[in-house]
């Protein structure tokens, strides 16, 4: 192992062939140059998650979110439309909203008092007469707008005005997202404001894990095997399917436990009505899925699964949505929500949320161990001895795509495979190389 | 809450004993004697840490009414403790070195003669592995503590962390 | 100052009550009840924080004899509190989440029977907005506290911060 | 808004035309490359403030200050001359003075014991015989000297031996500085050691604000309007003058309140004697000035104004001097002094200082809100979405220079204008482009 | 150690007096009155801080059985104090501004009637020169304190720092 | 002093001639670019210290150490051989060992459960059948190996497979190392686990100091002179020898106090037997050495000397070994061990360790002052005003190498000289220029 280290361009170029062959450069998981290029090429072009519509139900409601290093106000304007704008006064750059959420028809800057509508339009300028001699063109100085689009309650934004439509971007992954977003005929909603915390973790490690890493479950979360909290055993755990949308980077793992009741954990009335807003093909896939863990490229992930505090009981089916927001090559800000079925009872929603906090969320017993490993992976991936080496992504290299899979994308079995990840990092590479 | 300042704190022996109960709790946690710690909770105990949201001054709430980082019963605390006692609680491998600095202990009577409201500030220092940087958790606590023979039991531990963005990879420790 | 070690601290009920007075003060500050806090000061009270200068060991002083970060009367404290109660105290929008950790409380008699010198260490944790990093203020305090009926009043709050270069964008909070 | 970002050279080149046209690149307010070039081109060439002579009145007195990332000992030597030297032992680089101030005729290094006079001359070398065989040329190894010059008690230093004289550098701004420096016939003096603190702020935001940003006052410090602590109202607040020295970057805002007594806040005896050390032209300008807020390029600012705790009363006239010392693209070390009239009574000096601490200084009620806004501006100015955009500096773009202004430089009315700032950033740009 | 939780802490006057002894010790240190501090130690006193090694959960020890950061007798403490009193203790030039936050003081009887085991948490804040960043030491302490007339003397100061990688250029201060 | 600053290449090129002439660029002691090149060129190629064999006496014993930014497991395998491997799972990069020391025959990854022997060999892969279809070549995915070699109990590793042998690398310095490593016929051993701490210090300042900087002793440690704890006085302190291995960078200072007993501080039985494992030439040198302070290039240092709490008494002879592990241009992680003679009594070993903790170690009364100075040197060496300037390394520039010196390398007298350092930085330069 020599100490000459490939430049980033050469490294990415080598990855064109190595990733499809099952070898991903270690260095991409902790490197300053890679991070900077990602900020520009990936997060500057992709559709990035901003908020769920149930977080801003009423006109004037707003939340403040981020894409790359931009703070973005996501507001519902007086017409009920969702608008996203950079949270920066155009006059001298002051921060407009200082809280994470609230309700306001207008934002007034605390520096010189410029006033904007919640849609971003500049409507008030002090000393417009005395100072500007009325010559300032107010239209020109509205807040910097961010393009948005929605699917199933998810509001996405992109910094790239030329990006393809969200529909094209998702490319069929909507089929699988409905598992999280249509938990009841009335859909899904956010139960409580998201938790957020920081961790010394590279975002890609998290996204990959939530794109169907069934391989880690029984080891990382071995305590749960030990104490009997798993509705699958080591011997069946690899069963299920891995599906991804080629060229788009999205992917999902569908864990299957033979003999488990369909939608195990959901209350009976939900189970009987859930099909109303789903297609027969969705019903076919969803009903045999114990655990669904999937990601929208680049950094939005979901998990739904049953969990019970009493080993052996069905428990409740809880769902978490999470954003791994990168703030450095080895650091993220973590956002974690719990999605519940709109049509469920308050008791059920509370029970699902309680299961979520016990399992995921910052104090979640599963979450804790994941973050411990990811922190350690991130640190080690920066080792100079590993800078020109690869990780093996060789599982399922010769796997056959299922012919008769009812959903979009390419599906393989078993669940335990690196296939989704190869697609994910190949997609990432095309962004990094500006070839999307 | 704002009423507390006009209420006269409980003093003397009872307060001293309640404060020691908090100190002994800290010792149990800092010495990783989690079963001892669990035994200090009543069977009907509730342990909760609300989610804090960064809000402006006049907002109705900053501590989410329904969001929780912890919302545990004794049953789920027991699950957490049994988890820590396996060899597979990676988040605590190596174990965190915690130190609970408990200050500003004020006790107040409640409507129940055998239960007291005990308020305290708790600063937790947490060091992991060979990290040169420690993690800090600053919290206010409002505990409901019930007399139990010569001793005490937690009926309710309520702790609010003073950050909206928690600066720690996880909450695998107790505040 | 060096004489204090030979003086016997006041103990028992008086000290406990004085310490609680400090705790209740912290609660008022940490709950943003600034008017309640102001009411704990006597009309002739003085609130001061000297400027600290980085000096070598044998220098005559390290705390500037005339430089002050705060040098407030009750009148100017009242101005500060009224300011905080407007909607335009931007420095506290969103409000700081403070936590005053008060420790090492020692009380001493003074030449006045109804006034005590109370020394304490005070560590202030301050979190703003969604910042992951908190700000810390470490201070020693020497307060003169006067008996006022059943309660107490601050006659003099003297706090010295332990840094020469204060690591905080402002001092919009009270120590 | 595309994500291609201009290189720094292109950005600065574009700014040649955009700044005079009223558009200043947002990015200059938070960018690592800009910071590094500033350290070299601006702080490596300009005259930078070090100390006030009243801080080191006696031979042997010294203070330790900074220019760029250099710690500098500013000492009064045995001849009474002010000498500035890098605070680094020439032998192996140890720090010579470990405190901020003191009195010493010599400095002895705590590593190997080299001894220097406070003027910087190396005079003692242990084992000069045994180790150096007396061959060390001691003259060659004196402390690294920093060139200094003074005006009105202000000691400046420059790292550039070829810099023009301080007099040429100030270019007439002395006329206005006298408002702060000659508060009495005997001049002005520092009341107490400066406070200092750190803040996540870009220095340029501070300098600009103190170069006459009358536009922010009634909004940023709205609490004072609300509580009645302003000797001006919103309707008169824009009145006054803005003056700058073209091509030098210095500027000042002179707020005027019709009907306010000349030198309001000064005690009567000062008001009657203050003219003794001022020219008639200075008296004409100073006597109609309520508030004077001005800056010497690059980062030394002043403010003088009356303030009273009792709304409506004249109160006292206090004066603050401050240095916004950059230590990163988004960080400063802040130094804040209070200047008082030498000839005033001790009571008046104390009252002026008390007003200063209540209004400015780290706990000052005005200071607090300024720093809050500036911190937020700095953070937002780093947004990737804003990297190719400009802030509008359009106020007073067509303003006419006053013909009959009695002082140097170019004066306009009203006080509320961006004219001073355009001159400031155009000057900054000429330094950045090495065209001074 | 794990037995302590079942032992009833010493309360009332004795504990209050022991706690004040710790507070007065902190004052001596934080005011740089090192000779006063030394006088609080018995002639046969031992001052020790073990080396902490980052170990996994089930390791036999994490505090090294024989490694010590400090292992001082009164004689060597005296050397350290005399050193600090010269003009050449560069490590303390300018002197550290320390603040010892002593909390969670619990006292226990020992086999000797005139000696008590006193446990405490001690958070030390240390600021040097014009540094904007302070250094922190978090420690648990187990002191053996002997009655000495009206006062007390340290027989054994045992302090364990909560870090394996100490985040400070030196230990020129006392915990 | 102009502000144009040499690029790193030009700076290093200039140093080719300046270092032998006694001038070392200040900038190398605190510069990000220099640091990065060092990590690659120096620590990527040199033999770096890992552990002492007495730290891992039994099969399965391991410690975790670092070279550059690589965490390395140093284990004694089941055959009793020492093996070093990167502490990174080859699957997805998790950290294998999470503690500093322990005993294990195998390491199991906590992420997906891969299992390695303590020698690094991959022996267990979950779902090898179901996931990898048995196609993973396990040999290819063992832990990344680090080449090691030993001398006298010291285990060194190098990241460069083409590095010369350790014997060639040490180049005769073994002669002097025996002073530390053969304190008794049975050798030396580590008394307790090392202390470690971080300090804002550049590693080169420390290494240089421990390569025989007798010049600093009486000043930096003046308290000891003052209190009488020195077995030498200012007037004799410069006496002794400085020896280095030309072109290798290793060097040692041998302080000599006329009249002091040979091996002063060692117990009598050690003094009488110590010669058994030493050559007569070694005995000649060692017996007249009071203090020996030396370094193996790049960053391993040793000190042995007598110390007594009672001024005037012989006390004990203690020995410290230390590693100045760089983690940034201005930061190290410090590792400090105490080596004791294997054949001494437990009481003597304890007494030597106690002397060590009182003098060196993080709370050591000597250590404290060294680190204080070094921290200050590091900070000041980053001054922009010093970036193109040099430090004088002029002591002993014309010194004559002793003809009759019994040991390897070049020896000069007196002890107080810069000769060792010139050799050290010239060697460093040859690494930096890739000319080793
Ligand atoms: S920065 Fe918002 S109005 Fe000036
Ligand atoms: S560094 Fe100052 S004398 Fe050596
Ligand atoms: S990272 Fe070690 S087994 Fe996957
Ligand atoms: Fe997981
Ligand atoms: Fe202002
Ligand atoms: Fe030394």
């Amino acid at each position: 192992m020599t100490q000459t280290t490939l430049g980033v361009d050469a490294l990415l170029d080598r990855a064109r062939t190595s990733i499809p062959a099952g070898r991903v450069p270690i260095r991409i998981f902790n490197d300053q140059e890679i991070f900077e290029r990602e900020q520009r090429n990936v997060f500057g072009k992709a559709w990035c998650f901003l908020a769920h519509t149930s977080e801003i139900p009423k006109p004037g409601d707003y939340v403040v979110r981020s894409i790359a290093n931009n703070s973005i106000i996501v507001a519902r304007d007086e017409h009920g439309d969702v608008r996203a704008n950079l949270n920066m006064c155009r006059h001298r750059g002051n921060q407009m909203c200082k809280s994470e959420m609230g309700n306001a028809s207008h934002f007034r800057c605390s520096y010189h008092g410029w006033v904007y509508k919640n849609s971003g339009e500049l409507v008030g300028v002090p000393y417009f007469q005395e100072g500007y001699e009325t010559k300032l063109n107010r239209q020109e100085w509205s807040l910097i707008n961010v393009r948005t689009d929605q699917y199933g309650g998810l509001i996405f934004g992109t910094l790239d005005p030329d990006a393809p439509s969200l529909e094209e971007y998702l490319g069929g992954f909507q089929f699988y997202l409905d598992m999280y977003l249509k938990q009841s005929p009335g859909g899904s909603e956010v139960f409580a404001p998201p938790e957020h915390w920081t961790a010394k973790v590279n975002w890609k490690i998290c996204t990959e894990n939530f794109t169907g890493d069934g391989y880690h479950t029984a080891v990382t979360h071995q305590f749960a095997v030990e104490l009997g909290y798993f509705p699958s055993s080591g011997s069946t755990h690899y069963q299920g399917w891995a599906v991804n949308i080629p060229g788009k980077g999205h992917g999902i793992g569908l864990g299957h436990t033979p003999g488990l009741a369909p939608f195990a954990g959901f209350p009976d009335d939900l189970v009987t009505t859930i099909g109303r807003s789903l297609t027969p093909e969705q019903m076919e896939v969803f009903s045999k899925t114990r655990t669904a863990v999937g990601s929208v490229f680049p950094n939005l992930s979901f998990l739904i699964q049953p969990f019970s505090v009493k080993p052996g009981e069905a428990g409740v089916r809880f769902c978490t949505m999470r954003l791994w927001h990168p703030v450095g090559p080895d650091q993220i800000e973590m956002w974690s929500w719990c999605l519940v079925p709109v049509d469920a009872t308050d008791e059920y929603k509370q029970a699902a949320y309680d299961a979520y906090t016990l399992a995921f969320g910052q104090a979640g017993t599963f979450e804790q161990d994941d973050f411990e490993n990811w922190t350690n992976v991130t640190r080690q991936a920066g080792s100079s001895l590993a800078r020109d080496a690869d990780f093996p992504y060789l599982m399922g290299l010769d796997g056959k795509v299922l012919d008769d899979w009812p959903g979009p994308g390419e599906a393989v079995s078993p669940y335990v495979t690196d296939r989704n990840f190869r697609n994910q990092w190949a997609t990432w590479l095309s962004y990094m190389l500006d070839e999307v | 809450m704002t009423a507390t300042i006009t209420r006269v704190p409980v003093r003397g022996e009872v307060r001293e004993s309640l404060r020691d109960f908090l100190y002994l709790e800290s010792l149990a946690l800092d010495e990783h004697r989690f079963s001892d710690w669990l035994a200090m909770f009543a069977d009907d105990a509730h342990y909760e840490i609300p989610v804090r949201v960064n809000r402006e001054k006049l907002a109705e709430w900053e501590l989410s009414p329904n969001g929780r980082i912890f919302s545990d019963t004794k049953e789920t605390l027991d699950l957490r403790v049994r988890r820590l006692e396996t060899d597979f609680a990676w988040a605590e491998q190596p174990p965190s070195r915690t130190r609970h600095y408990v200050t500003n202990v004020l006790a107040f009577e409640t409507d129940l003669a055998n239960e007291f409201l005990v308020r305290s500030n708790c600063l937790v220092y947490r060091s992991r592995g060979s990290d040169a940087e420690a993690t800090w958790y600053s919290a206010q606590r409002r505990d409901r503590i019930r007399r139990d023979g010569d001793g005490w039991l937690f009926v309710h531990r309520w702790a609010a962390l003073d950050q909206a963005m928690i600066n720690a990879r996880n909450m695998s420790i107790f505040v």
Side-chain angles (χ1 to χ4, degrees), chain A residues 194-211:
Chain A
E195 288 151 85
H196 34 279
W197 67 91
T198 64
K200 301 287 279 179
V201 161
N202 183 283
W203 66 277
K204 292 191 290 301
I205 297 161
C206 314
T207 293
E208 173 181 307
N209 182 281
F210 266 71
T211 309

Coordinates of all heavy atoms in Angstrom, one line a residue, chain A residues 194-211:
Chain A
P194 N -40.2 17.3 14.7 CA -39.1 16.4 14.6 C -38.1 16.6 15.7 O -37.9 17.8 16.1 CB -38.5 16.7 13.2 CG -38.8 18.1 13.0 CD -40.2 18.3 13.6
E195 N -37.5 15.6 16.2 CA -36.3 15.7 17.0 C -35.1 16.1 16.1 O -35.1 15.6 14.9 CB -35.9 14.4 17.6 CG -36.8 14.0 18.7 CD -36.8 12.4 18.8 OE1 -35.9 11.9 19.5 OE2 -37.7 11.9 18.2
H196 N -34.2 16.9 16.6 CA -32.9 16.9 15.8 C -31.7 17.0 16.6 O -31.7 17.5 17.7 CB -32.9 18.0 14.7 CG -33.6 19.2 15.0 ND1 -34.9 19.4 14.9 CD2 -33.1 20.4 15.4 CE1 -35.3 20.6 15.2 NE2 -34.2 21.3 15.5
W197 N -30.6 16.4 16.1 CA -29.4 16.4 16.8 C -28.3 16.3 15.8 O -28.5 16.1 14.6 CB -29.4 15.2 17.8 CG -29.4 13.8 17.2 CD1 -28.3 13.1 16.9 CD2 -30.5 13.0 16.9 NE1 -28.7 11.8 16.4 CE2 -30.0 11.8 16.4 CE3 -31.9 13.2 17.0 CZ2 -30.9 10.7 16.0 CZ3 -32.8 12.1 16.6 CH2 -32.2 10.9 16.1
T198 N -27.1 16.5 16.3 CA -25.9 16.4 15.4 C -25.1 15.1 15.7 O -25.1 14.6 16.9 CB -24.9 17.6 15.7 OG1 -24.4 17.5 17.0 CG2 -25.6 18.9 15.5
A199 N -24.4 14.6 14.7 CA -23.6 13.4 14.9 C -22.4 13.5 14.0 O -22.6 14.0 12.9 CB -24.4 12.2 14.7
K200 N -21.3 13.0 14.4 CA -20.1 13.0 13.6 C -20.2 11.8 12.6 O -19.5 10.7 12.8 CB -18.9 12.8 14.4 CG -18.7 14.0 15.4 CD -18.3 15.3 14.8 CE -16.8 15.3 14.5 NZ -16.4 16.6 13.8
V201 N -21.0 11.9 11.6 CA -21.4 10.8 10.8 C -21.4 11.3 9.3 O -21.9 12.5 9.1 CB -22.8 10.3 11.2 CG1 -23.4 9.5 10.1 CG2 -22.6 9.4 12.5
N202 N -21.0 10.5 8.4 CA -21.2 10.9 7.0 C -22.6 10.5 6.5 O -23.0 9.3 6.8 CB -20.1 10.2 6.1 CG -20.2 10.7 4.7 OD1 -21.1 10.2 3.9 ND2 -19.4 11.6 4.2
W203 N -23.3 11.4 5.9 CA -24.7 11.1 5.6 C -24.9 9.9 4.7 O -25.9 9.2 4.8 CB -25.3 12.3 4.8 CG -24.7 12.6 3.5 CD1 -23.6 13.3 3.2 CD2 -25.2 12.2 2.2 NE1 -23.3 13.3 1.9 CE2 -24.3 12.7 1.2 CE3 -26.3 11.4 1.8 CZ2 -24.5 12.4 -0.1 CZ3 -26.5 11.2 0.5 CH2 -25.6 11.7 -0.5
K204 N -23.9 9.5 3.9 CA -24.1 8.4 2.9 C -24.2 7.1 3.6 O -24.8 6.2 3.2 CB -22.9 8.4 1.9 CG -23.0 9.6 1.0 CD -22.0 9.5 -0.2 CE -20.6 9.6 0.2 NZ -20.2 10.9 0.8
I205 N -23.5 7.0 4.8 CA -23.5 5.8 5.5 C -25.0 5.5 6.1 O -25.5 4.4 6.0 CB -22.5 5.8 6.7 CG1 -21.1 6.0 6.2 CG2 -22.7 4.6 7.6 CD1 -20.1 6.5 7.2
C206 N -25.6 6.6 6.4 CA -27.0 6.5 7.0 C -27.9 6.2 5.8 O -28.8 5.3 6.0 CB -27.4 7.8 7.6 SG -26.2 8.6 8.7
T207 N -27.8 6.9 4.7 CA -28.7 6.7 3.6 C -28.6 5.2 3.2 O -29.6 4.5 3.0 CB -28.4 7.6 2.4 OG1 -28.7 8.9 2.8 CG2 -29.3 7.3 1.2
E208 N -27.4 4.8 3.0 CA -27.2 3.4 2.5 C -27.8 2.4 3.5 O -28.6 1.5 3.1 CB -25.7 3.1 2.4 CG -25.4 1.6 2.1 CD -24.0 1.2 2.1 OE1 -23.2 1.9 1.3 OE2 -23.6 0.3 2.7
N209 N -27.6 2.6 4.8 CA -28.2 1.7 5.8 C -29.7 1.6 5.6 O -30.3 0.5 5.7 CB -27.8 2.1 7.2 CG -28.3 1.2 8.2 OD1 -29.5 1.3 8.6 ND2 -27.4 0.3 8.7
F210 N -30.3 2.7 5.4 CA -31.8 2.8 5.3 C -32.3 2.5 3.8 O -33.4 2.8 3.5 CB -32.3 4.1 5.8 CG -32.7 4.1 7.2 CD1 -31.7 4.0 8.2 CD2 -34.0 4.1 7.6 CE1 -32.1 3.9 9.6 CE2 -34.4 4.0 9.0 CZ -33.4 4.0 9.9
T211 N -31.4 2.1 3.0 CA -31.8 1.7 1.6 C -31.9 0.1 1.6 O -31.7 -0.5 0.5 CB -30.9 2.3 0.6 OG1 -30.8 3.7 0.9 CG2 -31.5 2.2 -0.8

